[in-house]
Amino acid sequence: MAQQVQERYEDSKLYKIRHSAAHVMAQAVMEMFPDGKVTIGPPVDNGFYYDFDLPRNLTPEDLEQIEKRMRQIVQSKHEFVRKVVSADEAREIFKDQPYKLELIDGLEKGGLDEYGNPLNEKPEISIYQQDTFTDLCRGPHVESTKDIKQDAFKLMTIAGAYWRGDEKNKMLQRIYGTAWESKDQLKEYLNQLEEAKKRDHRKLGKELEIFIFDDEVGPGLPLWLPNGGILIEELEKLAKEMEDKAGYDRVKTPILTKEDLFLRSGHLPYYAESMYAPMEIEGVKYYVKPMNCPMHHKIFGSKGRSYRDLPVRLAEYGTCYRYEKSGELFGLMRVRSMQMNDAHIYCSEEQFEQEFMGVVALYRKYFELFGIEKYVMRLSLHSKQGLGKKYVDNERLWLKTEEMVRRAMDNGGVPYVEREDEAAFYGPKIDVQVWSAIGREFSLMTNQVDFAVPERFDLKFTNKEGADEIPLCIHRAPLSTHERMVGFLLEHYAGNFPVWLSPEQVRVISITDAQNEYVENIAKQLRESGIRAHADLSSQRMNAKIRQAQLMKVPYMIVVGDNEMQAGQVSLRVRDGSQQNNIPLAEFIARAKDKISRRASEL
RNA sequence: GCCACCAUAGCUCAGCUGGUAGAGCAGUCGAUUCGUAAUCGACAGGUCGUCGGGUCGUAGCCGACUGGUGGCUCCA
């Protein structure tokens, strides 16, 4: 049977609608600001944007005006007319548009597309015109503005964006819009955004009392509340179990170290702008660690190592501190204090593939456990321009290690994509891109090769021939940081954690206070069985107690009235609303313990 | 860090164009003892993020700062 090939977004009608809507928006903006400069305006996921350089900043009221004008333009049924022009003709048409002239130069040289990315062949230069607006554009577009439904698009937000995405360039004003084929689709999309807000980890984190931020503590420095503490401990317990099976050793290292260590490691030359400023004690500068690796290198180097000892796998749950620029902070997903699920594997070149893929296998176990289905493994490579600046200056070793990773992944049959200029300063890495349930993308796990720093620390082991050899180091964080992992899981589960992760696993509810003693006793028995349980003895009605437990997303509610008390049994209400009456407590305990010990996803 | 926006009680929010603050929930106290998502009443709670300016006077105006949000850049 012929396989249905999914249409590429670029070829879809929606893409054309959005691209065309961007042009219509540009027309409306240019009518408002005749001296404004246009740049680029492509379709993106769910919509489109257009970047402008305007004489003044846009206001939300402007947005309304622009949107209103767009509706008029759209209804006037103007055709999108394409025309191929020479570079010089284009220069004449866009003589007042400096950004367009820059783009034309790029196109003419055949070097760069509108984003500044290299192009393989020299493209045709085309323009599109609708009504009074002409844009340098390769298309494609819908036939006429009437193909953009006047009630199926909406301008969303104004944002700043650097010209060509480079922070050294001028900041432009970007307007984001969304556009769909029909009003219903638009409504559906706006609805989705509302739903997404509900499972935002920042909102859930507050509601479920997982973490807080406090102005006086500082930006990007989360305070974990008791419920969050439990999540972290459970994740750690999981990671430690996995690492124990895989032959890791655990170490502990200090948060502060002398400048010398980071000079040697290369962090100060390559990574200083992500580090907190040093503090000076007794004339010596100390830095707060952004990574654990230099200390682990010291531990590896603290005694002679034989090839028989390798691989050495040192794990640590140390908290690292990185100076992330204020605008980059984002809830738990991007913080300044982070607890790493960190380890460094020191191995020989022959062992590399097995060790590296062992980590990848670990990822996959986690994917399965958490039910993460959508992810992309990304092989992050160096860039030639970055050598000596962002990356240690040894092109030969870069190419060699990158090829080693590629081979390992290929041999293991693990699909991945490659991205240039995304590596760590000391080597290439595999980052796992995931999408939270509300569509946010970020990298979670990471698996990095370090061919540079062990040498700077004079790390060595004695090989079979009796000669010194420098080990490779694999930096890995399969659970990412606890902060990001918890943020991800909050959104992933919408706060409905599986039993093993739930901060409160059972709430025991009395119907009247005649059962309070019995209920307290049940809670105690549950806790003695290793189940996190609380009794609700308040004088509220049962319905209110249940509601509160539901809002806190407690997986199991044990409800006890006179009937249960007399029969010596309990009634179980599960978070999903299902209910099971008159079961012996021992039976429930067995069920709960089973789900917890298996880390089952079902309740 | 850059652009824009936002900041009122523990939480969620109301407070029209300036005339010195209000609700619901949570909290405390009292009453209620009730069968699977909110029992009733009373009380208490805020120098309206901070600092400065303008005004006879502001939580609403202006500025700076702090923190947050949407983006850009960056990233686990």
Side-chain angles (χ1 to χ4, degrees):
Chain A
M1 208 174 93
Q3 196 164 357
Q4 180 91 29
V5 179
Q6 204 183 350
E7 187 184 37
R8 288 194 327 150
Y9 179 40
E10 289 78 5
D11 301 328
S12 67
K13 185 176 177 200
L14 208 45
Y15 186 90
K16 289 186 209 165
I17 288 174
R18 288 167 180 168
H19 199 171
S20 305
H23 279 218
V24 171
M25 179 168 79
Q27 178 184 338
V29 170
M30 291 310 285
E31 284 174 3
M32 195 178 244
F33 300 96
D35 296 332
K37 308 296 175 207
V38 288
T39 68
I40 60 167
V44 289
D45 286 352
N46 301 321
F48 60 92
Y49 69 79
Y50 209 112
D51 286 348
F52 304 95
D53 185 0
L54 302 174
R56 68 164 172 85
N57 286 331
L58 291 166
T59 64
E61 293 73 51
D62 292 331
L63 222 55
E64 280 174 37
Q65 286 304 311
I66 294 164
E67 193 175 304
K68 213 170 126 190
R69 176 64 186 132
M70 283 175 72
R71 292 195 205 293
Q72 291 173 349
I73 297 169
V74 158
Q75 282 171 316
S76 307
K77 300 185 186 175
H78 303 291
E79 291 199 356
F80 284 90
V81 183
R82 179 173 192 268
K83 195 174 160 198
V84 176
V85 295
S86 70
D88 286 334
E89 285 168 328
R91 283 195 189 90
E92 179 53 31
I93 297 167
F94 297 104
K95 60 179 186 294
D96 298 325
Q97 291 292 342
Y99 298 94
K100 291 293 179 190
L101 291 173
E102 195 178 323
L103 294 176
I104 293 164
D105 287 345
L107 291 171
E108 188 186 34
K109 287 191 198 108
L112 304 170
D113 70 5
E114 62 265 46
Y115 308 108
N117 296 322
L119 281 174
N120 293 332
E121 46 189 279
K122 200 166 159 171
E124 212 168 49
I125 298 179
S126 60
I127 59 171
Y128 274 83
Q129 180 168 8
Q130 95 273 358
D131 196 12
T132 60
F133 181 75
T134 305
D135 203 356
L136 178 76
C137 177
R138 73 178 147 187
H141 283 279
V142 292
E143 285 187 12
S144 144
T145 57
K146 77 167 165 26
D147 296 318
I148 307 167
K149 298 275 179 297
Q150 57 109 6
D151 56 1
F153 71 87
K154 181 172 161 50
L155 299 189
M156 304 299 282
T157 178
I158 308 163
Y162 301 106
W163 167 236
R164 292 205 148 153
D166 187 335
E167 65 180 324
K168 291 193 260 319
N169 287 342
K170 180 158 190 188
M171 176 145 295
L172 307 168
Q173 295 194 70
R174 174 173 297 180
I175 304 177
Y176 277 98
T178 187
W180 299 85
E181 289 191 35
S182 68
K183 185 182 176 180
D184 285 348
Q185 279 183 10
L186 173 66
K187 242 172 93 180
E188 167 69 24
Y189 172 67
L190 296 176
N191 208 15
Q192 267 175 32
L193 290 182
E194 286 305 309
E195 287 303 309
K197 273 189 202 159
K198 290 184 197 160
R199 59 200 287 174
D200 187 309
H201 76 278
R202 292 165 297 187
K203 184 170 156 68
L204 287 170
K206 196 181 276 183
E207 288 169 357
L208 302 180
E209 298 182 8
I210 309 290
F211 66 94
I212 53 168
F213 286 97
D214 185 281
D215 292 0
E216 276 182 299
V217 175
L221 304 171
L223 303 180
W224 291 100
L225 304 174
N227 288 341
I230 290 169
L231 287 172
I232 287 183
E233 276 179 26
E234 284 295 342
L235 288 176
E236 239 174 67
K237 209 155 79 188
L238 166 70
K240 285 177 179 171
E241 274 174 34
M242 299 291 245
E243 286 163 14
D244 288 346
K245 283 184 203 155
Y248 285 75
D249 297 315
R250 219 153 289 125
V251 295
K252 285 271 177 205
T253 64
I255 276 174
L256 286 176
T257 52
K258 282 161 65 178
E259 176 182 36
D260 298 7
L261 186 73
F262 290 117
L263 279 171
R264 185 197 280 254
S265 68
H267 281 83
L268 286 174
Y270 294 110
Y271 200 76
E273 65 173 32
S274 295
M275 291 168 71
Y276 271 89
M279 60 190 94
E280 204 171 303
I281 312 287
E282 295 171 336
V284 179
K285 279 187 191 161
Y286 284 80
Y287 280 87
V288 170
K289 65 178 173 185
M291 295 181 192
N292 298 307
C293 32
M295 282 76 128
H296 291 188
H297 296 338
K298 283 293 183 189
I299 291 173
F300 180 88
S302 67
K303 65 175 193 177
R305 306 279 181 177
S306 150
Y307 71 93
R308 295 174 201 276
D309 301 329
L310 299 190
V312 170
R313 309 182 187 92
L314 303 177
E316 174 166 7
Y317 293 80
T319 305
C320 295
Y321 292 80
R322 294 183 190 170
Y323 170 65
E324 305 285 347
K325 293 190 221 160
S326 57
E328 292 163 351
L329 300 173
F330 178 73
L332 282 182
M333 303 300 197
R334 196 76 183 277
V335 291
R336 285 179 175 167
S337 77
M338 64 205 85
Q339 203 183 341
M340 317 278 286
N341 167 228
D342 201 12
H344 296 92
I345 303 171
Y346 300 86
C347 63
S348 66
E349 241 180 85
E350 301 85 82
Q351 292 168 325
F352 169 77
E353 187 163 329
Q354 191 183 348
E355 288 304 309
F356 194 82
M357 295 315 285
V359 175
V360 173
L362 190 57
Y363 291 172
R364 296 182 132 178
K365 281 189 189 157
Y366 287 137
F367 294 153
E368 197 183 333
L369 174 65
F370 294 115
I372 299 171
E373 282 161 5
K374 189 181 177 194
Y375 61 87
V376 170
M377 301 232 183
R378 187 180 77 191
L379 170 53
S380 300
L381 309 168
H382 78 292
S383 72
K384 213 174 163 82
Q385 318 82 276
L387 286 174
K389 290 186 283 254
K390 279 169 78 175
Y391 307 117
V392 293
D393 200 0
N394 189 332
E395 191 175 21
R396 188 184 62 81
L397 276 180
W398 273 106
L399 295 172
K400 179 183 164 190
T401 355
E402 285 166 0
E403 188 48 37
M404 281 168 66
V405 176
R406 218 174 262 132
R407 203 182 325 125
M409 294 292 279
D410 289 343
N411 290 344
V414 179
Y416 60 93
V417 298
E418 296 197 10
R419 283 277 286 281
E420 206 180 288
D421 202 18
E422 295 282 347
F425 77 78
Y426 41 68
K429 55 180 180 171
I430 295 286
D431 286 325
V432 182
Q433 303 299 116
V434 298
W435 286 260
S436 82
I438 59 181
R440 277 191 196 117
E441 179 195 354
F442 44 89
S443 49
L444 210 56
M445 295 89 170
T446 186
N447 195 10
Q448 320 180 339
V449 195
D450 183 345
F451 59 79
V453 188
E455 186 178 12
R456 299 174 71 112
F457 277 82
D458 293 324
L459 299 188
K460 53 186 183 257
F461 63 95
T462 308
N463 65 18
K464 280 180 194 162
E465 284 73 44
D468 283 349
E469 201 174 312
I470 304 172
L472 276 170
C473 176
I474 298 170
H475 304 233
R476 40 115 281 177
L479 282 182
S480 179
T481 62
H482 291 342
E483 287 75 12
R484 187 170 282 185
M485 195 68 199
V486 169
F488 170 79
L489 291 176
L490 267 167
E491 296 185 359
H492 181 66
Y493 289 119
N496 295 305
F497 293 112
V499 188
W500 68 276
L501 264 176
S502 291
E504 183 178 359
Q505 293 165 323
V506 182
R507 185 162 306 177
V508 195
I509 292 168
S510 56
I511 293 181
T512 73
D513 48 15
Q515 298 92 40
N516 280 359
E517 206 176 313
Y518 184 63
V519 155
E520 259 188 306
N521 192 268
I522 289 173
K524 193 163 156 249
Q525 283 187 58
L526 289 168
R527 285 195 294 269
E528 278 167 3
S529 308
I531 297 167
R532 293 186 288 269
H534 297 284
D536 183 347
L537 305 178
S538 64
S539 67
Q540 297 172 95
R541 296 178 55 197
M542 177 202 64
N543 276 326
K545 295 187 191 184
I546 286 178
R547 177 160 193 274
Q548 273 159 21
Q550 286 285 159
L551 289 174
M552 290 306 279
K553 302 180 187 283
V554 179
Y556 296 130
M557 283 152 266
I558 293 287
V559 181
V560 172
D562 272 338
N563 298 339
E564 286 81 1
M565 194 165 77
Q566 268 150 35
Q569 294 185 328
V570 300
S571 163
L572 170 66
R573 178 189 164 102
V574 185
R575 187 173 57 202
D576 62 15
S578 67
Q579 188 177 334
Q580 207 178 334
N581 292 332
N582 298 314
I583 55 173
L585 181 61
E587 192 183 313
F588 168 72
I589 291 180
R591 167 179 175 166
K593 284 180 75 168
D594 172 59
K595 305 288 183 195
I596 292 167
S597 67
R598 287 173 26 231
R599 298 197 170 91
S601 54
E602 75 278 2
L603 296 176

